[in-house]
Amino acid sequence: MQDDEPLEEWARRRDARQAASKGKRRAVPLGEGPHRGAHVDPGAPRAIEEWTGTEWTVIGIVESLAAAQALLYPPPPVQEKPAEWDRRRSGIGKRHSAQAQGV
C-alpha cells in the first residue's frame, strides 16, 4: 500500500518549489518548427522568458543565441584588490628579524 502524504504537506512543498523557481529565465528560439536544442540556428532571434511561478512570460527579444547567453549568463563582476596590495614591500620585517638573531 502506498503512503499518501497529507494534502497540506504536498501543497507546502509545491509552493516552496514554485517560489524557488520564480524569476528563472530561459531563451526560446523564434523560428519555424518545433523547439530544438539551443545550438540549432544560433543566428535566429530568441524570446527571453521568465517563470512567474505558474507560467513562462516573454520579457524581451534578443537577436541571437550569443545575445541571449550574454543576457542570461553575464560574466561575474571583477573584484578589484585593495590599493594597499599594490604597495611594494619595504623589507623592514627582514631587517628587524636579522638584527634580533644577531646576524
Side-chain angles (χ1 to χ4, degrees), residues 4-73:
D4 289 332
E5 67 179 313
L7 182 59
E8 295 81 24
E9 288 181 29
W10 173 84
R12 187 175 45 246
R13 281 189 311 106
R14 183 201 59 197
D15 291 344
R17 200 171 45 248
Q18 284 181 343
S21 65
K22 201 174 202 178
K24 284 188 176 182
R25 292 182 176 180
R26 70 180 184 183
V28 179
L30 297 177
E32 304 263 336
H35 291 230
R36 293 181 280 175
H39 65 284
V40 177
D41 198 7
R46 288 346 194 221
I48 304 299
E49 297 179 337
E50 186 173 78
W51 183 247
T52 65
T54 56
E55 65 182 356
W56 290 100
T57 58
V58 176
I59 59 169
I61 305 289
V62 295
E63 67 273 1
S64 67
L65 174 60
Q69 289 174 332
L71 181 68
L72 296 175
Y73 312 108

